[in-house]
Amino acid sequence: MARGDGELELTVGVRGAGGGGAAADAPVPISLGRLILAGMVAGGVQYGWALQLSLLTPYVQTLGLSHALTSFMWLCGPIAGLVVQPLVGLYSDRCTSRWGRRRPFIMTGCLLICLAVVIVGFSSDIGAALGDTKEECSLYHGPRWHAAIVYVLGFWLLDFSNNTVQGPARALMADLSGHHGPSAANSIFCSWMALGNILGYSSGSTNNWHKWFPFLKTKACCEACANLKGAFLVAVVFLMFCFTITLIFAKEVPYRGNENLPTKANGEVEAEPTGPLAVFKGFKNLPPGMPSVLLVTGLTWLSWFPFILYDTDWMGREIYHGDPKGTTTQVAAFNEGVRIGSFGLLLNSIVLGFTSFLIEPMCRKVGPRLVWVTSNLMVCVAMAATALISFWSLKDYHGYVQDAITASSSIKAVCLVLFAFLGVPLAILYSVPFAVTAQLAATKGGGQGLCTGVLNISIVIPQVIIALGAGPWDALFGKGNIPAFGVASGFALIGGIVGLFLLPKISKRQFRAVSGGGH
């Protein structure tokens, strides 16, 4: 299942539409309106995730973490994808609570998200209470290690909590889909995610939270910090509203335990393989063509994750020539760049939302392989463009990012166009690999759960590689983002070439069958 950052959710022991290891009572028929409202929690979670992507990498640098070290902070996403999602999928499949299988986990995850958001937003104030500098934040630009430690702990809790909610929320939609079908449920869920992205990036690009809520500014928390704090507090309110709506309208039927599970000859329930280990054991059962899908998926994510990691930081440094640890003017320029970068991500989400409706017709017309390869070539051009735009903006091919002091409004406009343009291949990334995987599992065997779980690994491993390597790699070339984007362009080109020759060919008729088209 797709997450906000593109990761997958592995539901263990899937049987039937609900993804559970055994049958529950037949679900009560649900109207389309109630199904739509049942998925509303996805919008609340994605609202906070959009804020996390757009604001937190730049913010943590103001607390003392270097640009090179910020990438290590994002290791929590891949780790959560490998550990939390399989375990939550397993336990939610087997949960016998009278509230249902999914809602207890959704509620727990949402409450943890609220706690994590408060910790992140108030990390500067908590750090000051623990012994950081007593100087005014507008005058002090040195490290604040207590605040940084509190922030990182809150950040990791936030990412683990997001993973706790996303899987059961998507499985809940499948459980309730009934005669509407899982395709309709998936479309509703993705629509809520798109809306959450748009609202989150809009909130992140707003620079007036400190004016609307002046009490958020403190001695340890200046304007940029107060804006982040305000945006995240609104995210808490919005998430709780969405979560409440989901609890009210998602009427689950309690799980009945071990009934209808396969049994052995002696009548004992036959244990099914569960957990992450089951995925690795099933590698030998992968259908033909799946290894090439995994390879191209990994190369594609190697090309995307540097941009996901550093997009708003790139705007603040290379385009607005700011420095989160520099003078007051440099800090202000950096914060303005981050704000405009968040607006660029808003445009990206809008284009992504419109493009998502066009992917299935495109795949029917030219086939999913050509669509996927074309998206990789688009990313190759876009990542190369970011490096060229940076050189153009800096006007100094040999100096450090902070050496440049000029900026151009035309360059800023080009950057926003680039952000919007990337919404097209991003929509393809969130859709086509999963459709190809589903087709291989359906026509050549191997199991949907197995293939989906293995595809998750091919997404997580590239993220670990980039998280570990992008920061130190950039540090070798002037502490900017240009080297990582240059390498990303190369990976996208390689992924496109490899995909052209190695991806399995899926006919348009086969794609229509797996996607539900043609009915």
Side-chain angles (χ1 to χ4, degrees):
M1 295 178 183
R3 217 188 71 181
D5 56 358
E7 292 178 13
L8 296 177
E9 183 263 336
L10 171 61
T11 301
V12 187
V14 174
R15 285 181 178 272
D25 291 326
V28 178
I30 186 172
S31 66
L32 181 61
R34 180 179 286 271
L35 184 63
I36 291 173
L37 293 174
M40 193 172 182
V41 70
V45 173
Q46 201 65 22
Y47 184 106
W49 180 251
L51 289 175
Q52 184 177 355
L53 288 176
S54 60
L55 297 180
L56 295 192
T57 293
Y59 173 69
V60 72
Q61 296 177 66
T62 67
L63 302 181
L65 264 67
S66 67
H67 179 268
L69 288 177
T70 54
S71 60
F72 291 101
M73 178 184 68
W74 287 91
L75 282 172
C76 57
I79 293 173
L82 280 175
V83 177
V84 176
Q85 290 192 18
L87 292 177
V88 170
L90 169 62
Y91 294 134
S92 70
D93 283 345
R94 298 285 189 259
C95 180
T96 58
S97 168
R98 66 188 182 92
W99 297 102
R101 289 186 294 174
R102 317 299 180 186
R103 288 189 294 175
F105 292 90
I106 294 173
M107 181 178 68
T108 301
C110 286
L111 294 177
L112 289 175
I113 288 174
C114 294
L115 174 62
V117 162
V118 171
I119 292 174
V120 168
F122 287 83
S123 56
S124 292
D125 299 300
I126 296 173
L130 293 176
D132 282 339
T133 179
K134 301 299 181 182
E135 292 186 51
E136 287 282 348
C137 54
S138 58
L139 302 176
Y140 179 77
H141 301 292
R144 289 177 281 172
W145 297 116
H146 291 94
I149 293 172
V150 170
Y151 166 87
V152 171
L153 292 175
F155 183 91
W156 278 61
L157 177 60
L158 178 59
D159 220 32
F160 275 73
S161 304
N162 283 332
N163 277 274
T164 301
V165 177
Q166 286 278 2
R170 184 73 73 101
L172 174 66
M173 293 296 289
D175 293 343
L176 299 176
S177 59
H179 67 278
H180 302 291
S183 295
N186 182 68
S187 298
I188 292 169
F189 193 89
C190 292
S191 298
W192 279 118
M193 290 177 65
L195 179 61
N197 267 339
I198 292 172
L199 294 176
Y201 290 136
S202 299
S203 180
S205 64
T206 300
N207 206 29
N208 295 318
W209 293 111
H210 70 282
K211 297 178 181 178
W212 298 332
F213 305 105
F215 61 88
L216 295 177
K217 289 182 62 178
T218 64
K219 189 175 181 180
C221 184
C222 289
E223 289 185 4
C225 170
N227 285 328
L228 179 142
K229 193 187 298 183
F232 271 98
L233 289 178
V234 172
V236 169
V237 175
F238 184 64
L239 174 60
M240 294 307 297
F241 172 74
C242 295
F243 159 63
T244 302
I245 295 297
T246 293
L247 283 188
I248 293 174
F249 287 93
K251 299 296 185 182
E252 288 190 272
V253 177
Y255 172 60
R256 296 200 316 264
N258 289 329
E259 293 182 30
N260 297 330
L261 280 177
T263 59
K264 300 178 181 179
N266 60 6
E268 295 180 1
V269 174
E270 181 179 344
E272 293 183 329
T274 56
L277 187 60
V279 178
F280 291 99
K281 286 183 177 179
F283 265 97
K284 61 182 179 181
N285 298 322
L286 289 176
M290 194 64 196
S292 61
V293 172
L294 300 179
L295 176 60
V296 178
T297 299
L299 290 170
T300 303
W301 274 96
L302 283 171
S303 68
W304 265 106
F305 203 57
F307 185 79
I308 293 174
L309 194 63
Y310 289 129
D311 43 22
T312 54
D313 185 80
W314 172 66
M315 286 292 289
R317 287 176 177 271
E318 277 86 346
I319 305 306
Y320 276 77
H321 316 302
D323 182 356
K325 301 177 185 176
T327 64
T328 302
T329 302
Q330 289 175 319
V331 171
F334 180 81
N335 291 334
E336 179 66 11
V338 171
R339 187 182 71 82
I340 297 299
S342 296
F343 178 71
L345 290 173
L346 167 62
L347 299 179
N348 177 279
S349 296
I350 293 173
V351 173
L352 185 154
F354 281 109
T355 304
S356 63
F357 293 103
L358 304 176
I359 292 175
E360 186 175 338
M362 288 190 297
C363 289
R364 291 183 189 180
K365 187 174 183 61
V366 302
R369 178 171 64 175
L370 184 57
V371 172
W372 191 350
V373 168
T374 301
S375 74
N376 273 24
L377 297 180
M378 293 171 69
V379 175
C380 173
V381 173
M383 292 298 105
T386 60
L388 294 175
I389 292 170
S390 299
F391 283 128
W392 177 22
S393 177
L394 297 175
K395 302 182 187 300
D396 181 0
Y397 287 72
H398 305 289
Y400 280 55
V401 169
Q402 290 81 3
D403 291 338
I405 57 174
T406 58
S408 168
S409 58
S410 60
I411 293 178
K412 300 168 192 173
V414 170
C415 291
L416 292 179
V417 172
L418 182 65
F419 270 87
F421 170 79
L422 281 169
V424 176
L426 188 58
I428 295 171
L429 175 67
Y430 286 167
S431 302
V432 175
F434 313 132
V436 173
T437 298
Q439 177 60 41
L440 292 176
T443 60
K444 300 183 179 181
Q448 295 282 359
L450 169 65
C451 293
T452 300
V454 174
L455 188 63
N456 184 51
I457 296 173
S458 71
I459 294 173
V460 167
I461 291 177
Q463 292 185 4
V464 172
I465 293 173
I466 296 300
L468 289 174
W473 174 253
D474 286 339
L476 294 175
F477 296 91
K479 302 180 182 180
N481 299 295
I482 300 173
F485 290 162
V487 170
S489 179
F491 279 125
L493 178 61
I494 296 172
I497 295 174
V498 171
L500 185 62
F501 291 99
L502 294 185
L503 278 177
K505 186 175 181 180
I506 295 178
S507 69
K508 304 165 192 175
R509 180 177 59 82
Q510 287 174 320
F511 185 83
R512 281 196 295 269
V514 76
S515 63
H519 294 294

